Amino acid sequence: MPPRSRSQSLTIPDNRQIALLIDPDDTWGRSVIQGIAAAVRNVLPWNLWIAPRDRQWRLRVPRNWLGDGIIAAIRDDKTAEHVRGLNLPTVNVSSWEKDAPDWYRVKTDDVKRAEMAFSHFRARSFSHFAYYGPPSQRYSPSRGDHFREVVQAAGFTCDTFRGNTTTRDKSSVQERTLQWLQQAPRPLAVFAADPHSGVLLTEVCNAVGFRVPEEIAILVADTDELLCNISTPPLSSIVLASEQIGMTSVRILDSLLKGKKVKSKVITLPPLNVIERQSSEMLAIDDPLFVDALRFIRVHAHTGIQVSDVLQNVSLSRRSLEQRFRQLLNSTPAVEIRRIKIERARQLLISTDKTVEQIAGATGFCASGQFCFAFKKHVGQTPLEFRRQMRSGK
């Protein structure tokens, strides 16, 4: 589609005008926008209109805007109607399910996300599961459906909290959440729809004295650095390929603007990994000494501890500690220490630009060579190969 004619006094004539109807007020939105900007910068002649809004603070472009394309996180009927009325090539980067059939979409693979959440909980020996998704336009109801299907396919049951869709009053949702939790089995592994619902859930637990993660373990389906870290306790979360979603949306829109054929209407990208924080840092095992040993390892592994340090902090002999790890975790203390160090390294490689040497020091390895050897043995790639693959979205 050729660019519309526009006043040369307002824009550069040869540049495409692309509106990004994506809210930058959370980590997901900012990451998607960063991915878009990275794909466009010094490569495409695009002017990006980032999060334009109307007088009601809704994501909208001005009526007289002479644009060429839209990348939008469409989550409600009014926004869909607005975008549809623009009659421009559009790529939707949300999981909203009332999508116009002629729009292209890039989104997170919700089945893979559900599988990752279930695997996280099962690795900690949980057998009671639930999905927590109060009414919201931020996510689709199918997010909970996918988790329930994964849990049931593994032979377990999954309770679901969605609440009354007619009201979103916080105090009312908190009251219904409390009633729901009081009837639930414990220890309970809860997959929360997003960081907002995760924070709400911890607030209810803290108000009535439910211990997190000892009684209620929580993992949220997306990562918001602010909300996840200020929650009490901090929330474990799934890291999405948000920047890759942005980059992929640029490739699709660029093809549409050039009149090229795009093979698939919907492209799904798997989530990257789980960041374990205190809200799920627990094993559903009735062995306090073992749990204490495991917790010590998970808190201090990155400092370079050895098995001898663990033994100094729990009242167990080396033999008894080894036996418990084999029976309950099918592992050994030394292997668990190394696993936690590698997982921390994976997170730093994905979420920061720290050098290999810096990451080696931050994860308790004596030298970068030792770190690279251990990382490749555990992951099957060198640290830099892993970082490149994760950031390419493959």
Side-chain angles (χ1 to χ4, degrees):
M1 176 182 292
R4 298 182 181 186
S5 61
R6 51 176 71 88
S7 170
Q8 294 188 13
S9 63
L10 295 178
T11 62
I12 301 172
D14 292 336
N15 277 22
R16 302 280 194 175
Q17 305 302 309
I18 308 299
L20 308 184
L21 300 185
I22 302 169
D23 194 337
D25 290 343
D26 57 32
T27 298
W28 180 86
R30 287 193 295 273
S31 295
V32 173
I33 292 172
Q34 286 171 350
I36 292 171
V40 170
R41 188 179 297 116
N42 302 323
V43 177
L44 296 172
W46 288 10
N47 287 340
L48 300 178
W49 293 58
I50 300 175
R53 297 184 185 270
D54 62 11
R55 293 181 179 179
Q56 296 176 314
W57 204 240
R58 299 174 301 181
L59 289 166
R60 300 288 188 269
V61 297
R63 289 184 179 181
N64 60 349
W65 182 66
L66 298 176
D68 296 292
I70 306 286
I71 299 176
I74 300 171
R75 293 170 172 163
D76 59 80
D77 290 315
K78 291 294 185 181
T79 302
E81 181 181 349
H82 171 72
V83 174
R84 195 176 295 115
L86 297 171
N87 195 30
L88 293 172
T90 297
V91 180
N92 185 7
V93 293
S94 82
S95 296
W96 193 61
E97 295 176 335
K98 296 182 181 180
D99 217 307
D102 56 333
W103 287 341
Y104 289 81
R105 177 191 282 178
V106 186
K107 65 172 188 173
T108 297
D109 188 326
D110 276 331
V111 175
K112 295 293 185 185
R113 171 162 36 190
E115 292 172 347
M116 183 176 287
F118 178 70
S119 295
H120 178 77
F121 286 134
R122 279 302 293 154
R124 285 144 189 82
S125 301
F126 284 93
S127 56
H128 301 300
F129 304 91
Y131 172 76
Y132 183 71
S136 176
Q137 290 182 337
R138 294 187 302 270
Y139 44 82
S140 164
S142 66
R143 188 169 298 181
D145 297 336
H146 289 307
F147 183 67
R148 185 177 65 253
E149 290 167 2
V150 168
V151 171
Q152 291 175 345
F156 299 91
T157 58
C158 180
D159 195 8
T160 301
F161 177 92
R162 287 201 174 104
N164 188 343
T165 58
T166 61
T167 178
R168 295 177 182 173
D169 175 68
K170 183 175 181 179
S171 61
S172 177
V173 174
Q174 288 176 322
E175 183 177 343
R176 293 197 303 274
T177 299
L178 175 58
Q179 295 172 353
W180 177 67
L181 287 176
Q182 288 173 331
Q183 300 174 6
R186 298 177 213 160
L188 182 67
V190 181
F191 183 43
D194 73 345
H196 294 272
S197 58
V199 169
L200 180 60
L201 186 57
T202 58
E203 288 174 348
V204 173
C205 290
N206 292 334
V208 299
F210 290 156
R211 293 175 300 158
V212 179
E214 288 82 0
E215 294 179 277
I216 312 292
I218 304 170
L219 171 67
V220 299
D222 191 2
T223 295
D224 185 287
E225 295 296 335
L226 175 63
L227 294 179
C228 289
N229 283 300
I230 67 172
S231 171
T232 306
L235 290 165
S236 297
S237 61
I238 293 180
V239 181
L240 307 182
S242 306
E243 288 195 30
Q244 288 75 26
I245 287 175
M247 293 177 182
T248 305
S249 70
V250 169
R251 291 197 294 269
I252 293 174
L253 185 57
D254 184 46
S255 295
L256 296 176
L257 292 172
K258 293 175 179 177
K260 296 180 180 179
K261 185 177 180 179
V262 179
K263 293 181 179 180
S264 178
K265 281 281 186 179
V266 179
I267 295 177
T268 59
L269 297 179
L272 299 179
N273 68 308
V274 173
I275 295 180
E276 184 181 53
R277 300 184 179 91
Q278 191 178 339
S279 70
S280 68
E281 195 178 59
M282 184 69 186
L283 277 177
I285 293 174
D286 188 18
D287 187 334
L289 291 176
F290 172 77
V291 171
D292 285 346
L294 189 63
R295 178 171 291 160
F296 180 83
I297 288 173
R298 291 182 174 176
V299 171
H300 299 285
H302 70 281
T303 65
I305 62 169
Q306 304 293 325
V307 176
S308 58
D309 298 302
V310 181
L311 293 170
Q312 290 178 3
N313 286 271
V314 294
S315 300
L316 289 170
S317 67
R318 179 180 287 270
R319 182 179 179 184
S320 180
L321 182 66
E322 297 276 355
Q323 288 176 337
R324 278 172 158 86
F325 266 79
R326 290 193 184 95
Q327 292 171 358
L328 300 174
L329 205 61
N330 193 28
S331 183
T332 68
V335 169
E336 183 65 10
I337 290 171
R338 185 164 57 251
R339 187 189 70 82
I340 295 297
K341 290 162 66 174
I342 295 298
E343 286 304 310
R344 180 178 174 87
R346 283 163 56 98
Q347 294 170 16
L348 292 174
L349 286 165
I350 292 172
S351 60
T352 75
D353 291 321
K354 291 180 180 293
T355 66
V356 169
E357 290 77 11
Q358 289 172 327
I359 292 175
T363 51
F365 287 93
C366 297
S368 59
Q370 181 195 42
F371 164 58
C372 291
F373 178 81
F375 191 92
K376 186 169 184 178
K377 183 177 180 180
H378 186 87
V379 179
Q381 297 173 298
T382 68
L384 292 181
E385 287 171 345
F386 173 80
R387 172 178 274 170
R388 282 194 294 268
Q389 180 177 346
M390 289 298 101
R391 295 189 174 182
S392 69
K394 296 180 181 178

